[in-house]
Amino acid sequence: EAQVTQNPRYLITVTGKKLTVTCSQNMNHEYMSWYRQDPGLGLRQIYYSMNVEVTDKGDVPEGYKVSRKEKRNFPLILESPSPNQTSLYFCASGPDRAYGYTFGSGTRLTVV
Amino acid sequence: QKEVEQNSGPLSVPEGAIASLNCTYSDRVSQSFFWYRQYSGKSPELIMSIYSNGDKEDGRFTAQLNKASQYVSLLIRDSQPSDSATYLCAGYTGGFKTIFGAGTRLFVKA
């Protein structure tokens, strides 16, 4: 089954404790992206990747890091999480940046 | 002006009616356009894409794009309670980014 797999689904952590949210796709997609979704603000892009070792900032990259060492994986790293990073996070992939995306099931992160 | 703007709703329609969802966009968004459906607590799901002016039909869904007026719409015919969800409009900017609107909540009353 074609899918984007994110883990974990839910995460509660404390301020400053480094965490990683994993994302993996099995569709051989070139393009992958991370979004956060907040009430009233919609989906905002954090980082995106055009291909292996090619990443760039989206609209809200502060406090986040990403890497793309393999085509299928695109982890999101929060080096020192803060409460304002409490949000619902989605990983997405697509065959090309101009096409529609397949989204992962989401990660609900709470930073206390 | 937001780059992709939608009325947050809620839009309420009776079962069997046509639901009309609208979206306007700024000059920055000029390429491809997409409609996603998102059920509460779930991830967005792509339901329609449209790349050129005019209408595109897929089953009960019709997407309409008018580049001169900078709006894109989604019509859902014969609306069902299972169509109750938030509908996200999105546009590709041509600069490696797709920008999403905040979504319109649709309620279909049985």
Side-chain angles (χ1 to χ4, degrees), chain A residues 17-33:
Chain A
K17 186 176 180 182
K18 181 179 178 180
L19 66 92
T20 299
V21 184
T22 64
C23 174
S24 181
Q25 51 95 2
N26 63 1
M27 295 165 283
N28 200 36
H29 284 165
E30 303 281 337
Y31 187 88
M32 297 185 75
S33 185

Side-chain angles (χ1 to χ4, degrees), chain A residues 31 37 45 59 97-98 101 104, chain B residues 36 38 43 92 96-98:
Chain A
Y31 187 88
Q37 188 174 37
Q45 190 175 44
D59 294 316
R97 59 189 183 271
Y101 301 151
Chain B
Y36 290 81
Q38 186 175 24
S43 57
Y92 173 60
F96 306 102
K97 291 184 181 180
T98 293

Side-chain angles (χ1 to χ4, degrees), chain A residues 9 31 35 37 40-43 45 48 50 57-59 88 90 96-106, chain B residues 2-3 28 31-32 34 36 38 41-46 49 51 88 92 94-103:
Chain A
R9 289 293 308 277
Y31 187 88
Y35 287 86
Q37 188 174 37
L41 297 177
L43 285 161
Q45 190 175 44
Y48 62 90
M50 296 298 301
K57 297 176 181 178
D59 294 316
L88 178 58
F90 288 105
D96 184 85
R97 59 189 183 271
Y99 291 89
Y101 301 151
T102 300
F103 281 82
S105 52
Chain B
K2 289 183 181 178
E3 291 173 305
R28 185 183 171 204
Q31 306 273 328
S32 318
F34 310 94
Y36 290 81
Q38 186 175 24
K42 301 295 185 183
S43 57
E45 173 193 11
L46 180 67
S49 57
Y51 303 101
L88 306 175
Y92 173 60
F96 306 102
K97 291 184 181 180
T98 293
I99 297 176
F100 287 80

Side-chain angles (χ1 to χ4, degrees), chain A residues 76-90:
Chain A
L76 179 69
I77 302 156
L78 284 73
E79 294 269 2
S80 183
S82 62
N84 65 9
Q85 292 178 299
T86 292
S87 187
L88 178 58
Y89 291 86
F90 288 105

Side-chain angles (χ1 to χ4, degrees), chain B residues 21-87:
Chain B
L21 303 159
N22 299 310
C23 172
T24 57
Y25 59 89
S26 71
D27 290 339
R28 185 183 171 204
V29 183
S30 61
Q31 306 273 328
S32 318
F33 297 89
F34 310 94
W35 283 99
Y36 290 81
R37 177 177 61 202
Q38 186 175 24
Y39 292 113
S40 180
K42 301 295 185 183
S43 57
E45 173 193 11
L46 180 67
I47 53 174
M48 290 286 288
S49 57
I50 186 165
Y51 303 101
S52 54
N53 272 331
D55 294 359
K56 179 181 178 183
E57 187 173 319
D58 184 359
R60 295 188 295 114
F61 299 99
T62 299
Q64 300 173 316
L65 176 59
N66 183 322
K67 290 191 175 183
S69 300
Q70 293 183 289
Y71 82 78
V72 57
S73 62
L74 179 70
L75 302 178
I76 306 175
R77 290 181 298 281
D78 188 25
S79 295
Q80 301 297 311
S82 59
D83 294 324
S84 298
T86 296
Y87 289 80

Side-chain angles (χ1 to χ4, degrees), chain A residues 41-89:
Chain A
L41 297 177
L43 285 161
R44 293 181 292 166
Q45 190 175 44
I46 304 170
Y47 269 94
Y48 62 90
S49 171
M50 296 298 301
N51 210 326
V52 175
E53 303 292 2
V54 181
T55 64
D56 206 349
K57 297 176 181 178
D59 294 316
V60 289
E62 294 77 20
Y64 304 96
K65 284 177 55 177
V66 293
S67 68
R68 187 98 180 265
K69 293 184 171 59
E70 303 167 282
K71 195 173 186 179
R72 61 184 291 124
N73 295 324
F74 190 45
L76 179 69
I77 302 156
L78 284 73
E79 294 269 2
S80 183
S82 62
N84 65 9
Q85 292 178 299
T86 292
S87 187
L88 178 58
Y89 291 86

